[in-house]
Amino acid sequence: MFKNVMVYRIGEGFAPTLADVQAALEPIQFVECGASQEKSIGWVPPRGEAHGPLVESVAGQWIMKLIIESKAVPGNVVRRKADERIAEIEAATGRKPGKKEKRDLMDEVLLTLLPQAFARQSSVLVWMDLDNRRLVLNAGSQGKADEVMSALMNVMGGLSVSLIQTVTSPQAAMTQWLLAPTPDEWPADLTVERETVLKSTGEDAASVRFTRHHLANDDVRKHVLEGKLPTQLALSWDGRVAFVLTETLQLKKVQYLDGVMDESGTDKKEDRFDADMALSTGLLAPLIDSLIEALGGEMELGAAGTDAPTANPVQKTVISTVLAGGADDGDPPF
């Protein structure tokens, strides 16, 4: 299931077959870290079955899974062991090792300690929607997403992607929704829920978090009018999916609301992979469409976006004032 969502646009001209993708992933199947290896990255069967295909087609959507395993040795432990060796060299030879020799000693110490380090694994689901030319990652951070994209680009010739950009920035749109006098001003199918994070654009970077709090009130509007802009906002779509939208167009804490998962009609004792993936992608695809539409549509490459979304004249004045706040120091508001 997708609990976090990052959406990329697949460039024109990329039209592989399912067999093409399977063949591209096979050379980079996941293997656990060796004794002295710090990191290992590779693909595994997304269904979880040994020796299964590395890409599954479910309701026309292609699903893959990348495993990232890493070992970490605390830096202070490495430095302490290296200092002990440096002291031994000084005592035995009467000389102090140079910078290069110290670096080499640090590397040697790290290699000797790695076999004792515990390995940590994380996985990222990858959803390729060629009909809509979108690539969706179940990644909670840009760093994790970058590792996945690097792994994909290394094996799939002709693949080019870019993060989707909208005409109206998510932050400008979230600002308008929080300033809306009534819920009637919210976009169709989207409802503002009870969680947000507001951050100041000033030097103090003051922030306030509202949790389980009714947001359509004067207290929240006062913070926004004072110059605190939303970096996260909890929303729900069509009463079926809840999520937190970020200023970078990431969807976090994705939850399928009560009764939605029962629509699959699949017995919980059975393999739910197909049912869960079909339902998850079947809900997220129109959600992404609705969200992009609420943000003014997708921006064409090379076009400049707008800081303030379409609004009535009063809202436009307020939003423009808020977004301009904190810009006196020469930095953009966001």
Side-chain angles (χ1 to χ4, degrees):
M1 301 296 290
F2 287 80
K3 300 300 183 183
N4 297 285
V5 171
M6 296 184 67
V7 188
Y8 292 79
R9 170 65 60 207
I10 297 176
E12 297 293 336
F14 183 70
T17 64
L18 196 66
D20 292 336
V21 176
Q22 172 70 26
L25 300 183
E26 282 179 352
I28 316 295
Q29 296 188 53
F30 175 72
V31 178
E32 292 183 354
C33 287
S36 59
Q37 186 178 358
E38 289 188 75
K39 178 176 284 190
S40 178
I41 298 177
W43 302 94
V44 298
R47 193 181 293 274
E49 298 176 348
H51 311 297
L54 298 176
V55 54
E56 293 276 358
S57 179
V58 179
Q61 307 302 316
W62 296 357
I63 307 296
M64 297 160 277
K65 187 176 184 179
L66 186 75
I67 296 289
I68 302 170
E69 182 178 86
S70 59
K71 289 182 178 181
V73 178
N76 61 332
V77 175
V78 175
R79 286 190 295 271
R80 187 176 70 248
K81 294 292 185 181
D83 288 342
E84 290 174 1
R85 293 200 184 179
I86 291 170
E88 291 173 0
I89 292 173
E90 290 182 358
T93 66
R95 66 175 181 84
K96 291 185 177 181
K99 290 183 179 180
K100 182 180 184 304
E101 188 175 0
K102 287 181 179 180
R103 287 196 299 268
D104 292 341
L105 284 170
M106 295 276 284
D107 292 340
E108 290 176 11
V109 169
L110 178 61
L111 288 174
T112 60
L113 293 176
L114 275 174
Q116 305 170 42
F118 289 103
R120 299 179 60 183
Q121 281 190 6
S122 60
S123 63
V124 181
L125 276 178
V126 179
W127 162 26
M128 189 174 288
D129 181 357
L130 287 181
D131 287 341
N132 289 307
R133 306 208 64 78
R134 289 197 294 239
L135 189 71
V136 180
L137 307 184
N138 182 30
S141 69
Q142 188 61 56
K144 188 67 64 65
D146 289 344
E147 287 195 282
V148 178
M149 296 313 305
S150 177
L152 278 172
M153 303 290 249
N154 285 340
V155 297
M156 293 192 185
L159 174 63
S160 63
V161 297
S162 58
L163 279 167
I164 284 182
Q165 302 291 324
T166 52
V167 172
T168 298
S169 73
Q171 190 166 61
M174 291 189 291
T175 300
Q176 178 183 339
W177 301 339
L178 288 175
L179 290 173
T182 69
D184 293 336
E185 302 294 328
W186 297 340
D189 298 328
L190 289 176
T191 301
V192 174
E193 295 296 341
R194 298 165 64 85
E195 177 182 340
T196 190
V197 176
L198 305 174
K199 289 189 177 181
S200 171
T201 58
E203 292 182 359
D204 60 351
S207 66
V208 58
R209 177 186 293 270
F210 290 91
T211 304
R212 296 187 296 275
H213 193 93
H214 182 61
L215 300 181
N217 63 57
D218 291 339
D219 188 23
V220 174
R221 294 189 190 99
K222 180 175 181 292
H223 279 289
V224 175
L225 292 171
E226 288 175 347
K228 296 184 182 72
L229 299 177
T231 59
Q232 298 182 25
L233 179 63
L235 300 167
S236 62
W237 171 78
D238 197 30
R240 308 174 81 189
V241 183
F243 61 97
V244 173
L245 176 65
T246 76
E247 60 185 326
T248 57
L249 198 53
Q250 294 182 33
L251 277 59
K252 295 179 176 292
K253 301 181 182 179
V254 176
Q255 295 181 332
Y256 306 93
L257 300 179
D258 291 345
V260 169
M261 296 311 295
D262 296 335
E263 296 176 14
S264 65
T266 301
D267 192 304
K268 291 184 178 180
K269 295 181 181 179
E270 299 177 4
D271 178 7
R272 290 191 59 96
F273 179 84
D274 287 323
D276 286 350
M277 286 299 106
L279 189 58
S280 180
T281 58
L283 287 170
L284 289 176
L287 184 161
I288 292 169
D289 288 338
S290 292
L291 183 58
I292 291 174
E293 182 180 355
L295 297 175
E298 189 171 349
M299 188 191 307
E300 295 183 7
L301 290 178
T306 60
D307 288 334
T310 302
N312 62 47
V314 174
Q315 286 176 313
K316 282 184 177 179
T317 301
V318 172
I319 293 169
S320 297
T321 301
V322 172
L323 292 177
D328 292 339
D329 58 0
D331 293 328
F334 53 87

